[in-house]
Amino acid sequence: MITIAFVIPSSINYNGGIEKTISRYNSFKTQNFKKIVLQGIPAHGTENLYGIRSVYSKLIIGTSGKMNFVIRLMAPIILKFDRIMNLTIIRNIEKNSNIIYLTNDDYYYLFKHNSFFVWSEHGNIPSNYTGVKILNSAISALIRNNLMFRKIKAAHLINCYNSERIQFSKYFCVPNGVDSSRFYPGERKHNTIRLLFVGRLEKSKGIDKIVNIFRNHNLNMELTVVGSGELEALFSSPIKNVTYIKNPDDDRLGEIYRNSDAFIFPSILENFGNVVLEAVSSGLYVMASESLKPRFDDIEKMNFLEYIDNTEEGILKSLERIGKKIEYTGKYENRMAIHDYISGKYGWDIILRKFYEGMEKVYSGK
């Protein structure tokens, strides 16, 4: 039996893409693995779930932009302090885990024991660790020569094309998945174009740009925004043709997708974008930020996705053409065809099996 500890900075109950994914990894039934989750927020009374009081978690979750970058530079110092504060729990994780899986790579500094660490692309791959090209090149060289991140034994890539950039000799590639039984198409029974955004309400997701467009332009479409975050105040006063829904449950969310025509996601900081899979699985046409290239090129070739310039001008230009785009994707038979494709390639039953097969392969070859 292999025990794997998934380390996340937030709570397993937080409704973000990483947390949903780890929850799936954790709940998947496999005879070869026992699972533990270590979160950066105190946990109460849940089996195999451990929580710590983490200064770093509070800082990294509560900041964005330049301040967030500064906090990350200070990670080695702050996380060593976190280790001292939570030493008993962390030592227990180190002692009883064969694999420590890092969804936020900074948490490497929380541990000292010589466990089998897996670097996850839920965070950043080393060649894009700091966002500064010179520093990234230096870090990659240090990793290649075993002078930095020496405890990392393998990497899990979400985007297979990054295999040429990874600096660790052992890796496996498995993308995120989607619950295709919850996110499936409905028949289009309305005439007005319905646009949807789902995600955290912060500038990096581009929601402020979308709202500005609807405030300043008379668009012949409706927008539904689903999410929570630091920019909730954008919806404190009514906006014409815009509906805001804070935290619907999963069944309600699936219904919202089915009642929409197109999905807009101009995020500038995204490793994969689980919501893109949810949208396409629901039969929606997707306008995704060009920063997501080439993750969804296969869906683009099937005429269900376009990459857009994530400026206000670029978003508006795409919205002005959306009517013609959904003439094809609005047909129920075409929606079902893309749903079946997504289910066959990204369905959780397939993805989870591949994830644990990949994990077992890199661990057994240690």
Side-chain angles (χ1 to χ4, degrees):
M1 177 72 71
I2 302 168
T3 300
I4 179 170
F6 296 104
V7 183
I8 59 175
S10 56
S11 166
I12 193 69
N13 295 319
Y14 182 72
N15 208 29
I18 291 176
E19 292 79 12
K20 285 183 176 180
T21 299
I22 297 304
S23 181
R24 289 280 180 174
Y25 292 164
N26 186 46
S27 62
F28 182 67
K29 289 180 171 54
T30 169
Q31 295 181 345
N32 297 336
F33 284 86
K34 176 183 177 182
K35 285 91 69 178
I36 295 171
V37 176
L38 176 65
Q39 63 182 34
I41 296 171
H44 304 286
T46 303
E47 187 178 3
N48 295 333
L49 174 63
Y50 297 83
I52 59 175
R53 297 185 183 277
S54 173
V55 173
Y56 188 74
S57 287
K58 288 183 179 180
L59 291 172
I60 204 70
I61 293 171
T63 60
S64 59
K66 293 181 179 178
M67 181 56 68
N68 191 265
F69 178 70
V70 171
I71 297 300
R72 294 202 69 187
L73 289 178
M74 297 172 63
I77 298 172
I78 302 173
L79 283 164
K80 286 177 182 177
F81 176 73
D82 280 351
R83 177 182 174 85
I84 294 171
M85 288 199 307
N86 303 278
L87 192 57
T88 301
I89 293 176
I90 293 169
R91 281 182 172 173
N92 185 43
I93 295 291
E94 292 172 338
K95 180 181 178 181
N96 295 299
S97 302
N98 303 109
I99 300 171
I100 295 180
Y101 180 94
L102 304 171
T103 62
N104 183 303
D105 312 313
D106 300 339
Y107 277 75
Y108 171 88
Y109 301 106
L110 190 64
F111 302 93
K112 286 187 176 179
H113 192 271
N114 191 27
S115 300
F116 190 95
F117 283 80
V118 174
W119 183 303
S120 159
E121 202 185 354
H122 292 293
N124 296 285
I125 61 173
S127 57
N128 193 34
Y129 187 70
T130 67
V132 179
K133 188 174 182 179
I134 295 176
L135 287 178
N136 290 338
S137 298
I139 289 172
S140 295
L142 290 170
I143 293 172
R144 282 196 305 270
N145 291 283
N146 202 30
L147 297 173
M148 189 175 186
F149 300 124
R150 287 179 293 177
K151 290 183 286 186
I152 303 294
K153 304 300 183 183
H156 167 212
L157 295 179
I158 297 171
N159 304 294
C160 295
Y161 63 87
N162 277 331
S163 60
E164 297 179 357
R165 302 168 63 192
I166 198 70
Q167 300 302 323
F168 304 109
S169 58
K170 295 180 180 179
Y171 67 89
F172 65 101
C173 177
V174 178
N176 290 343
V178 64
D179 185 351
S180 55
S181 66
R182 174 169 281 124
F183 301 105
Y184 56 88
E187 291 196 54
R188 191 168 188 260
K189 297 179 180 179
H190 50 270
N191 295 319
T192 304
I193 296 173
R194 294 178 178 176
L195 184 67
L196 176 64
F197 170 92
V198 178
R200 291 195 306 277
L201 304 185
E202 57 185 42
K203 285 193 174 183
S204 68
K205 301 292 185 181
I207 183 59
D208 55 325
K209 298 171 185 175
I210 299 172
V211 169
N212 285 342
I213 289 171
F214 272 81
R215 286 190 187 278
N216 299 323
H217 299 271
N218 187 23
L219 300 178
N220 187 26
M221 64 185 71
E222 300 172 358
L223 169 68
T224 298
V225 175
V226 176
S228 59
E230 60 187 27
L231 296 183
E232 290 178 31
L234 288 172
F235 307 99
S236 58
S237 58
I239 306 170
K240 185 180 179 181
N241 292 339
V242 176
T243 300
Y244 172 53
I245 303 172
K246 187 172 183 178
N247 288 314
D249 61 31
D250 286 343
D251 289 336
R252 172 65 176 138
L253 181 60
E255 183 181 347
I256 292 169
Y257 273 110
R258 282 190 291 280
N259 288 325
S260 302
D261 301 305
F263 185 81
I264 184 163
F265 195 58
S267 176
I268 60 173
L269 296 173
E270 207 70 36
N271 277 341
F272 191 79
N274 291 12
V275 290
V276 172
L277 290 185
E278 293 174 356
V280 181
S281 184
S282 302
L284 275 62
Y285 182 79
V286 172
M287 293 170 284
S289 168
E290 60 185 358
S291 65
L292 284 170
K293 286 183 178 180
R295 292 162 178 79
F296 301 112
D297 284 5
D298 55 337
I299 300 172
E300 181 189 31
K301 291 175 182 177
M302 298 175 74
N303 299 315
F304 266 83
L305 181 142
E306 68 172 301
Y307 297 110
I308 65 173
D309 181 356
N310 50 30
T311 63
E312 285 190 30
E313 293 78 9
I315 296 169
L316 180 60
K317 185 177 180 180
S318 296
L319 289 177
E320 290 173 342
R321 301 193 304 260
I322 194 62
K324 288 190 176 181
K325 299 289 186 179
I326 65 172
E327 287 179 2
Y328 174 80
T329 59
K331 296 178 181 178
Y332 184 69
E333 60 270 25
N334 295 333
R335 288 187 167 203
M336 284 305 303
I338 194 69
H339 169 79
D340 291 344
Y341 172 79
I342 295 296
S343 179
K345 184 174 181 179
Y346 297 103
W348 273 123
D349 55 338
I350 296 169
I351 294 299
L352 291 171
R353 187 173 63 253
K354 288 183 177 179
F355 173 81
Y356 280 104
E357 287 173 353
M359 188 68 74
E360 188 168 13
K361 184 176 180 179
V362 294
Y363 180 72
S364 62
K366 65 178 181 176

